[in-house]
Amino acid sequence: MVIGQNIPEIWAAIHTPFDNSGAIDEAGVRRNVRHYIATGLAGVFCNGLIGEVWSLTLQERKRVVEVIADEAEGRLGISVVISGPSVEETIELGEHARRLGVSHAVLMVPTSGPRSPAQQFAYLHHICTRLEMPIVIF
């Protein structure tokens, strides 16, 4: 293979840095985005486990995507986990991501509590039909 030709798209998870007060380090997020662009990545996967999603509020999750999208300026694809503690918050995160032009949203299949395959499908179908964007089921 010749370098620079026929290279597959490579995406990577991007972590969410924090400052000493525990707030999102937006300058650090921007540095990470610039670094990932410079390495030639096609896109980033944010607000997942490496993105510290479990420690972020709904507003912080939105802000992380806003900062990444702003810094990337279309030079980097963005995939964002939109699964939230409620259906309403999941849809809100998805609509926010769609407005920012993310490449696709990621939904986690709910695992808490007993759910039949039919219930899981109904949940995923409900979310997917509300959002007019590509969805990855994780």
Side-chain angles (χ1 to χ4, degrees):
M1 175 187 314
V2 176
I3 303 253
Q5 294 181 3
N6 300 319
I7 297 175
E9 276 195 7
I10 299 175
W11 289 58
I14 188 169
H15 73 282
T16 304
F18 298 93
D19 65 20
N20 290 336
S21 73
I24 295 169
D25 176 2
E26 292 189 15
V29 173
R30 290 179 185 280
R31 275 191 307 277
N32 291 342
V33 169
R34 289 190 303 272
H35 174 73
Y36 281 28
I37 290 168
T39 63
L41 289 177
V44 293
F45 173 77
C46 67
N47 287 350
L49 294 177
I50 289 176
E52 309 294 343
V53 68
W54 49 270
S55 67
L56 300 172
T57 66
L58 183 69
Q59 289 310 112
E60 288 172 326
R61 289 177 70 177
K62 289 179 179 181
R63 185 64 187 150
V64 166
V65 180
E66 291 166 0
V67 172
I68 292 171
D70 180 63
E71 190 64 34
E73 296 178 319
R75 299 172 292 163
L76 192 64
I78 303 169
S79 173
V80 59
V81 174
I82 63 168
S83 298
S86 71
V87 171
E88 295 79 19
E89 287 182 8
T90 298
I91 291 169
E92 182 179 339
L93 287 167
E95 289 172 343
H96 178 261
R98 185 185 65 229
R99 285 190 301 273
L100 290 172
V102 304
S103 304
H104 56 276
V106 178
L107 276 173
M108 308 277 196
V109 175
T111 57
S112 61
R115 288 192 174 83
S116 69
Q119 289 170 317
Q120 289 180 349
F121 178 82
Y123 167 80
L124 295 170
H125 184 264
H126 177 72
I127 302 295
C128 290
T129 56
R130 291 281 305 273
L131 302 174
E132 297 175 3
M133 64 188 310
I135 303 286
V136 172
I137 299 172
F138 184 76

